[in-house]
Each structure stands twice: as structure tokens, then as C-alpha cells.
Amino acid sequence: MTTISTDLRRPNATWRRISTFGQAAFAELVLFIALFLLAAATSITVANTLPGIVPFEDVRGLLVIALTVALALVAVLVVIELVTLRRHTSVRGDFARAWRRTRVWIGLFADHLGLTPRNRRHAVHILAVGLAAGLLAFAANLALTAVPALAATAAPDARNDAVAGAPSWAAVLYLAIYSPAWEEVWHRGTLLLVVAAVAWWVPRSGIRRALVVGALVVSSVNFGLAHLDWSVLNAVTATTSGLLYGTAAVMTRSLWPAFVAHTVMNAGVGLAWVIG
């Protein structure tokens, strides 16, 4: 009788788990889009306001639009939570409860992306891992650029036109801050969310590791393919860098090392342009 009762309870428990995962997945998707928009708008706007920079994109109003959409997406979460709640006290009380539930989703999202370091020591560790990964990525970039077959595919970078008339420091800073934030949210952020999902569903450590490695490789290749329009060289260096950024993110379960590494890598490329 006990066995039968246990078996009958299992589908309900599984359904509750699926339901909870679905709610979390939807909330994190909404927050992911909001974070991506804010990261892209902020970094691109700031980069294009540097002295001597000639924007190759029209970014007028981009920050305002992104901020508005991001706030609207968070508001959507609050409304959904409000709709799913039963009124117990008042409209004001229901809004307070809906906001508390939304804050739970925001906290879960921030935890999965490792956006809040646990303490100062953890923050220093994250920074050190990011710097190491960035320097390795830059060294790999130099080595791959020296390969004749890859070097022959090199094509003019559109960012050259943007920094052509800018002071050297502005050119380096432009390359360092233009793309790392939003590219890392999109590529390594997705990777970390996949890692969190795998940890939720897969009990066996060996299978978890295999899935994480697979996600790391796929995200890195996808990152490289996104750069294929520039050149084969750029695609290969981006794939290699993506593997290093992704490894840093997975090792620390944080997006910050990948962001730091990407920033260091791009700054190194900018310095090479200026010196060359």
C-alpha cells in the first residue's frame, strides 16, 4: 500500500517540479532580455561618446529605449505574479507580495549568472581568473594571427573606421568597452543558464559534466560563427577566446570573469592596433 501511494504521489511531485522550473525559466528569460538590452545600450552609447569616435551605428535614443523596455519586462513579471496571486488583504498588499515574488526571481537570475560576489575574497578571485583568461586569449590571438593560412583571410575591421580619427587612448578604450558586456551576456550568460538548468535536472555528475562541456563547446563555436562575417581568422580567434571565457565563467559560476577576460582581450587588440 505504501509503494502504491508513493507511486501515485510521484507524478504530482514531478509536475510541481516542472511547473516551478517553467516559472523560473520564463522569469529568467524575461530578465535575460532586459539585462542584454541594458548591457548593449549602455556599452555602445558610452563607447560612441568617446572623443574622436565615429559611430558606425545610429544609437540615438538607444539607451532610453532599452531602459524603458527593460523596466517594462520587469513590470510584466510583477503583473504575472499579481494575476496568479489570490487576494488576501488588499490591492496594495497583493502588489507587495507580487513584487516580493519578482525579487525572488531576480535573485535567482543573479545567482545563476554569479552577478553578486559572495565576499571580497571571492571578488578578487573572480578578477584574477578573468585577467588570466583575458591574457591567455590575447596570447592565443597573437599565435593564431601568425598562422599564414589564417592571416591570409584577414579583412578590414569596421571598427577601424570608428577609431581612425580618435586619440590612441580613446581607440583602446572604445574597443575595450564596446562589445564585451552585451556579447558576454548573450553567449556566456546563456551558457551559465544552461549549466544551472543541467544542475537542476541531472543527478549524475558524469552526465552533468558531459553536458556542461558540450554547452561550452557549442556556445564557443556559436560565438566564433557570429564573427565569421568579419573573417575566418576572426571566427577562429573568437572561438578560441570563447572557450577561455566560457571556461572562466563555468569554473567560477559567474559572468564577471568572462566579462573581464573579454575586456582585457579587446584592450590588448586595441593596443596592438595603436602600436602597429
Side-chain angles (χ1 to χ4, degrees), residues 21-22 30 33 71 74-75 109 134 161 186 188 199 207 223 225 243 251 265:
F21 181 82
V30 171
I33 294 171
L71 291 175
V74 174
F109 177 70
D161 297 331
W186 185 259
R188 260 56 65 180
I207 298 177
F223 184 56
L225 292 175
L243 286 168
M251 282 177 55
M265 165 66 179

Side-chain angles (χ1 to χ4, degrees), residues 109-121:
F109 177 70
D111 181 63
H112 285 167
L113 293 190
L115 299 179
T116 307
R118 294 189 297 272
N119 48 47
R120 185 177 300 178
R121 182 176 181 180

Side-chain angles (χ1 to χ4, degrees), residues 99-112:
W99 173 239
R100 285 197 297 271
R101 289 275 296 272
T102 302
R103 287 175 60 186
V104 170
W105 297 130
I106 293 174
L108 182 68
F109 177 70
D111 181 63
H112 285 167

